[in-house]
Amino acid sequence: MEKTSKEFLLNLLRTHSPSGDEVIIQRVWLDYVKEFAKVDTDTVGNAYGFINPNAKFKVMLAGHCDEISLIINKVDERGYIWFTNCGWINPKMLPGMKVDVIGYGNQIIKGIVNTTAQKDEQVTIENCFIDCGFKNDKKLKKLVRIGDYAVYQCDPEIIGDNRVICKALDNKTGAFIVAEVLRKLSKKKINVGVYSVSTTGEETNSRGAFMAASKLKPNMAIACDVTFDNEVPGGHGENAVCAIGKGPAISFGSPINRKINDLLEKAAKKKKIPYQLELTPDRTHTDADKIMYTGDGVPVALLSLPIKYMHSPVEMADLDDIDKTIDTIVTMIENLKGNEDLRPIKP
């Protein structure tokens, strides 16, 4: 991975982006992408980068930038902050975690999470609270109110065998990948228009993906997201059969257009890029699920980056897997003729 690209990735990971308030990270994304592509935004906060816009055949790449978070629902008289989840949170991992509460004007108030649960009681979102070190609510209520967000405190690091650890690799890595694909393709002559979108709200409602696809009306789309590493102790179910360090995962199942998968596999084999297969039998639980229902229907594929410890305060990915995901998509797109027929069956 090039030095400037790696710094862009780390910058994305350092930037808070709770689902519903992604403005700051989108500024980071746009400032990077505008150096090699045209950019745009929309009313749900999506950030767009695109090249070759006059081409009739349009390829949409979606990587969501939002992260799971906590949303404040009460500040009590003692100065404790109570919250609910914004996206899927594992309550068992909350007690003892440091968090950044994003208050008025995006100012950061440091805090720690604890719980009222005793010995054998189950830890839940409802019995966890944030302590920001205030004696009571008087000063705190001038800084924080209902509807503000809190996110895990975690700075990115590179450890071990070229692996990155941080919160919210799900899915700032995807936002990074679609930007890097665009950067590499901007230096090539291609036959299609490419529209990379850093989408909003995937962790909660996929509002960004739906609006982007409705706006762009692409001929095909690829969602770039993450999938579980199943080689960790405990595993993650029969459909999670992937592992980090073994390349990107191509999804197969009802939502997926197999002709796009054929193109991805052909590209990977051409570049001798290892890849894995995963199952998404009925839905992908990614932006792809919303994209395919827009307009007259959009053929979609899902290319996933395997990660460890998804939706935990610290996740792990392989930097080489990220590069291989980018190279697979770049190779696929540069080989498109612009007249591909993605219908599974012809009349």
Side-chain angles (χ1 to χ4, degrees):
M1 187 176 292
E2 297 175 24
K3 183 178 179 180
T4 54
S5 298
K6 184 182 289 186
E7 185 51 43
F8 172 51
L9 172 61
L10 297 180
N11 200 10
L12 290 174
L13 293 173
R14 292 187 193 105
T15 306
H16 295 328
S17 58
S19 190
D21 188 8
E22 303 95 341
V23 171
I24 297 177
I25 197 171
Q26 295 292 49
R27 182 75 270 158
V28 173
W29 195 90
L30 288 165
D31 286 345
Y32 182 79
V33 172
K34 71 182 181 182
E35 296 299 318
F36 49 81
K38 295 181 180 180
V39 297
D40 200 1
T41 60
D42 62 28
T43 57
V44 297
N46 287 322
Y48 299 79
F50 51 96
I51 57 175
N52 204 20
N54 293 325
K56 291 184 179 180
F57 194 96
K58 295 188 287 187
V59 179
M60 174 180 166
L61 306 175
H64 75 85
C65 69
D66 63 307
E67 62 181 287
I68 58 172
S69 58
L70 313 172
I71 188 167
I72 311 309
N73 59 19
K74 181 182 177 182
V75 179
D76 72 23
E77 294 178 353
R78 300 165 295 175
Y80 296 119
I81 296 174
W82 302 82
F83 54 83
T84 189
N85 56 301
C86 192
W88 188 84
I89 298 285
N90 185 347
K92 292 184 289 186
M93 294 185 175
L94 289 175
M97 282 303 305
K98 294 181 180 180
V99 294
D100 285 343
V101 180
I102 307 171
Y104 297 137
N106 289 313
Q107 62 183 316
I108 301 298
I109 303 97
K110 302 291 183 180
I112 58 173
V113 181
N114 215 313
T115 180
T116 62
Q118 299 301 312
K119 285 185 179 180
D120 299 326
E121 291 182 90
Q122 185 176 359
V123 177
T124 67
I125 294 291
E126 290 74 21
N127 61 31
C128 287
F129 60 90
I130 300 170
D131 187 342
C132 294
F134 289 90
K135 295 178 181 178
N136 53 49
D137 65 338
K138 291 181 180 179
K139 290 183 181 179
L140 187 56
K141 283 186 174 178
K142 294 178 181 179
L143 303 172
V144 180
R145 64 179 177 181
I146 292 173
D148 286 340
Y149 293 93
V151 294
Y152 300 130
Q153 284 185 34
C154 186
D155 287 325
E157 297 180 71
I158 309 298
I159 67 170
D161 292 327
N162 206 28
R163 291 179 174 174
V164 58
I165 58 171
C166 193
K167 70 181 178 85
L169 294 176
D170 175 14
N171 183 38
K172 295 176 188 182
T173 54
F176 170 78
I177 286 166
V178 300
E180 283 295 284
V181 168
L182 202 64
R183 182 182 68 82
K184 291 194 172 188
L185 287 173
S186 70
K187 301 175 183 180
K188 300 176 181 289
K189 185 176 180 180
I190 56 176
N191 299 315
V192 298
V194 182
Y195 299 76
S196 289
V197 191
S198 177
T199 60
T200 55
E202 191 273 350
E203 297 293 356
T204 48
N205 51 41
S206 292
R207 70 187 193 280
F210 186 83
M211 173 166 273
S214 297
K215 175 180 178 178
L216 295 175
K217 299 178 176 61
N219 299 94
M220 65 178 285
I222 301 174
C224 298
D225 213 303
V226 297
T227 190
F228 290 102
D229 180 307
N230 199 44
E231 290 188 352
V232 298
H236 291 280
E238 62 181 6
N239 293 329
V241 293
C242 305
I244 70 172
K246 297 183 178 181
I250 300 174
S251 294
F252 282 81
S254 176
I256 303 301
N257 181 283
R258 288 195 169 228
K259 288 199 170 183
I260 302 178
N261 275 2
D262 290 343
L263 295 170
L264 287 169
E265 291 194 77
K266 183 179 179 181
K269 289 175 182 176
K270 181 177 182 179
K271 289 290 185 177
K272 297 182 179 179
I273 298 171
Y275 62 93
Q276 306 175 75
L277 305 180
E278 70 166 342
L279 301 181
T280 53
D282 53 357
R283 56 182 59 96
T284 69
H285 301 284
T286 71
D287 278 341
D289 294 338
K290 291 287 186 179
I291 293 170
M292 67 180 177
Y293 286 124
T294 61
D296 295 327
V298 178
V300 297
L302 171 63
L303 194 61
S304 298
L305 175 73
I307 68 170
K308 291 183 176 181
Y309 321 122
M310 192 189 303
H311 281 223
S312 76
V314 185
E315 301 169 338
M316 180 186 291
D318 189 303
L319 289 176
D320 293 334
D321 282 345
I322 294 175
D323 283 336
K324 290 168 184 173
T325 303
I326 293 165
D327 290 343
T328 299
I329 301 173
V330 168
T331 302
M332 189 208 78
I333 291 176
E334 67 181 342
N335 287 324
L336 292 176
K337 296 178 181 179
N339 61 355
E340 279 72 17
D341 187 344
L342 299 177
R343 292 176 294 176
I345 184 170
K346 297 178 183 180

